[in-house]
Amino acid sequence: MHVEDLLRLESLDLTLLWGGPPLLAREISGVTATDLEDPGRFLQRGEIVLSGLVWWSAADEEGAADRFVTALRDAGAAALLAGEETHGTVPDVLVDACRRHGIALFSVPVHTSFRAITDTVYLRQWGDLSRRPAAPYALPENVRGELSRLLADGAAPDTLLTRAVAHLGTPPCHVLSATGRTIARTPTARALTAAQAAERLKAALRVDPDASAYGQWFLHLAGEVDVPPRMLHEIAEVFAQYRQGVLRREAAARGPATELLALLDTPGSGSGAAPLAAALRACGLPEQGPYTVVAVSMGAAAGGDGAEALGEVLRHLPEQRFTVGRLAEGGAAAVIAADSGARDADVPDADAPDAVVSALKDLWPTLLACDETALPYGGVSAPAATPADLNGALVQARYALTAASRTAPAEGAHLTAIQDLTTLGALLAGVPTDVRTAFGIHALGPLADATNPSHRMLLETLDTFLAHNGSWARTAEALHLHVNTVHYRIRRVELLTGRDLGRLDHKLDLKAALLCR
């Protein structure tokens, strides 16, 4: 199949925005859907690239477009198919970038799904291949029938995968999640860590092109096994159908989880023991603690509520039972309960305060590999001993989430646990912005006016004075001033703020005010 064939498919309703005859004559080797700003390492030569343009914004319009198209050119992409849904149209700067770098560009209307394009391309390719004589380019009929029956009967994914490749001699084969979680493997395939699986994703086949970055699955077959592409895609389609069943079950479970979170968010929920116990049971959670609550947000620049990302990370923890729901004010949260029956002596005590936190901090960076533009922020509560303590745990998780969203850009820690808030700065990071601003203005008084050069100088002196534990000599040395000048400035600070910097409590007040600016 060639690029120009896409225009002849009336069902897709694509529009050519730029591309001459030589570009349209390129042969299509496959399809990749991506919304990474630099998707180069995930592309194969000859693929057409589908993008919803989530990575693009008017703030960095030309630079972002140029980086994206450059990655396509360097990877040898055959063409770019850009969706109109996100921005209403394909940006002109993207058309210009494709013209400069020699990439054919098509616009995809809102009513045409990426899944339809992917299926159309591969079905067309398979049809071309099947017309070649004596080449087994599809699963045998008996295998397809068996897989259909197994899907209908709700067979386990390991069974599906093993039967799908049994006629090939059952080679080592995995189905992996976007974070490196093993969903299925054949008996001949060894167990993989998340890091080992992540390496294999680079050469794996996407199971469902329409899946989100966090919900994508990948089919990986050992490189030494020669399997026709059509056969691999048919196996992937089986797991796409299996995945849809998983998504339906997750969506059904999210309803009770959201109701549980709404109950926990109600003041005095701890007094309603019977409704809370019923809500926990509806979510498959025990009625005894300890529990841990995790709150998550995708940040202002990203879409989605984070429920899918949070659920994917938690599925790496088989010894924990959990439920994930949406929060009324946005974002998502999970209630986690240790499953003591699933643990043995070789597994660390999941009831220990740091067990869940440590595991989540190890796993959180795997989300960055899924979507470098939208890493979720997370906050983790302290253990809640009883159901009555869950309301407080949700408050803690939200507070830690707010702290994470403020400190992550500077410190690279997108997940913060409530026990991480051990300094004044960390504690204040979780305070709502309006409260921080109001406190800073009232505590600093006239010094809060940053437009006044004299006040900025006094704030700098105050900050340095507090950082040097109130030492006049060290403050003067740090600021290259005479000690008498430091004394004068600090007296001015005391006069303007009404504080006595000889008192510890007043020093703490002004330190907190500086941190809240």
Side-chain angles (χ1 to χ4, degrees), residues 9 20 47 78 112 127 129 171 173 196 198 205 240 250 297 304 310 334 369 397 433 440 449 459 462 469-470 487:
L9 300 172
E47 288 183 326
T112 300
L129 290 171
C173 191
Q196 291 169 335
L205 174 67
E250 291 175 359
S297 169
L310 180 56
T433 301
D449 180 10
L459 283 176
L462 172 62
N469 301 315
H487 277 278

Side-chain angles (χ1 to χ4, degrees), residues 352-417:
D354 294 334
V356 170
V357 175
S358 178
L360 288 176
K361 285 186 175 181
D362 288 341
L363 290 166
W364 212 258
T366 64
L367 295 174
L368 181 59
C370 301
D371 189 346
E372 296 176 351
T373 65
L375 180 64
Y377 298 103
V380 189
S381 75
T386 68
D389 298 322
L390 281 170
N391 172 263
L394 179 57
V395 172
Q396 291 177 5
R398 279 180 168 143
Y399 196 93
L401 171 60
T402 303
S405 65
R406 289 207 175 99
T407 59
E411 301 178 11
H414 288 76
L415 181 72
T416 297

Side-chain angles (χ1 to χ4, degrees), residues 334-351:
V335 177
I336 308 168
D339 188 354
S340 58
R343 298 196 307 272
D344 56 41
D346 296 328
V347 178
D349 183 9
D351 294 343

Side-chain angles (χ1 to χ4, degrees), residues 476-487:
E477 182 181 359
L479 293 174
H480 306 290
L481 298 173
H482 192 278
V483 172
N484 289 345
T485 304
V486 175
H487 277 278

Side-chain angles (χ1 to χ4, degrees), residues 419-493:
Q419 49 263 52
D420 294 332
L421 306 182
T422 57
T423 66
L424 179 61
L427 180 66
L428 292 173
V431 175
T433 301
D434 292 343
V435 176
R436 289 164 54 94
T437 301
F439 175 78
I441 290 173
H442 287 90
L444 292 172
L447 294 182
D449 180 10
T451 63
N452 188 314
S454 175
H455 291 173
R456 289 201 303 270
M457 175 188 67
L458 292 177
L459 283 176
E460 180 188 15
T461 303
L462 172 62
D463 196 12
T464 306
F465 181 73
L466 294 175
H468 288 84
N469 301 315
S471 170
W472 304 99
R474 282 186 288 161
T475 301
E477 182 181 359
L479 293 174
H480 306 290
L481 298 173
H482 192 278
V483 172
N484 289 345
T485 304
V486 175
H487 277 278
Y488 169 77
R489 290 185 182 181
I490 293 300
R491 282 196 298 270
R492 288 284 298 161
V493 169

Side-chain angles (χ1 to χ4, degrees), residues 75-436:
L80 170 61
L81 278 63
E84 298 178 346
E85 182 172 5
T86 303
H87 303 288
T89 186
V90 177
D92 291 339
V93 291
L94 185 61
V95 179
D96 293 339
C98 288
R99 183 179 292 109
R100 285 195 304 273
H101 296 291
I103 297 292
L105 175 63
F106 296 79
S107 64
V108 181
V110 175
H111 57 265
T112 300
S113 72
F114 284 179
R115 179 63 181 272
I117 297 172
T118 302
D119 287 350
T120 299
V121 170
Y122 283 125
L123 285 172
R124 175 69 176 269
Q125 285 184 319
W126 296 343
D128 293 342
L129 290 171
S130 63
R131 285 191 287 271
R132 300 178 185 177
Y137 289 106
L139 287 169
E141 183 63 34
N142 64 316
V143 175
R144 291 199 299 274
E146 181 185 14
L147 294 177
S148 295
R149 289 190 297 273
L150 290 172
L151 276 172
D153 294 340
D158 284 347
T159 302
L160 277 174
L161 185 59
T162 300
R163 296 311 305 158
V165 298
H167 67 290
L168 300 173
T170 317
C173 191
H174 295 84
V175 175
L176 307 168
S177 76
T179 61
R181 178 172 56 91
T182 297
I183 295 160
R185 62 186 175 105
T186 58
T188 54
R190 65 187 182 92
L192 300 174
T193 65
Q196 291 169 335
E199 287 298 314
R200 286 160 174 76
L201 295 183
K202 299 173 183 176
L205 174 67
R206 285 171 171 78
V207 163
D208 188 347
D210 283 343
S212 73
Y214 303 106
Q216 185 61 264
W217 289 4
F218 296 84
L219 175 66
H220 181 267
L221 194 64
E224 62 271 13
V225 180
D226 187 16
V227 181
R230 180 180 178 184
M231 188 175 292
L232 282 179
H233 284 284
E234 288 190 1
I235 296 174
E237 176 60 28
V238 169
F239 276 90
Q241 294 179 43
Y242 178 85
R243 179 181 170 277
Q244 290 303 315
V246 172
L247 291 179
R248 287 191 292 270
R249 292 191 291 273
E250 291 175 359
R254 201 156 290 157
T258 299
E259 292 176 8
L260 171 62
L261 292 173
L263 186 61
L264 299 184
D265 213 9
T266 304
S269 61
S271 60
L276 188 52
L280 288 167
R281 287 195 301 272
C283 294
L285 297 177
E287 297 176 39
Q288 300 84 29
Y291 310 94
T292 302
V293 177
V294 183
V296 66
S297 169
M298 299 301 293
D305 54 27
E308 190 171 39
L310 180 56
E312 172 58 29
V313 164
L314 292 176
R315 289 185 189 90
H316 282 269
L317 308 176
E319 72 277 10
Q320 310 290 341
R321 282 189 281 173
F322 67 90
T323 188
V324 178
R326 295 183 171 90
L327 295 169
E329 77 282 6
V335 177
I336 308 168
D339 188 354
S340 58
R343 298 196 307 272
D344 56 41
D346 296 328
V347 178
D349 183 9
D351 294 343
D354 294 334
V356 170
V357 175
S358 178
L360 288 176
K361 285 186 175 181
D362 288 341
L363 290 166
W364 212 258
T366 64
L367 295 174
L368 181 59
C370 301
D371 189 346
E372 296 176 351
T373 65
L375 180 64
Y377 298 103
V380 189
S381 75
T386 68
D389 298 322
L390 281 170
N391 172 263
L394 179 57
V395 172
Q396 291 177 5
R398 279 180 168 143
Y399 196 93
L401 171 60
T402 303
S405 65
R406 289 207 175 99
T407 59
E411 301 178 11
H414 288 76
L415 181 72
T416 297
I418 199 69
Q419 49 263 52
D420 294 332
L421 306 182
T422 57
T423 66
L424 179 61
L427 180 66
L428 292 173
V431 175
T433 301
D434 292 343
V435 176
R436 289 164 54 94

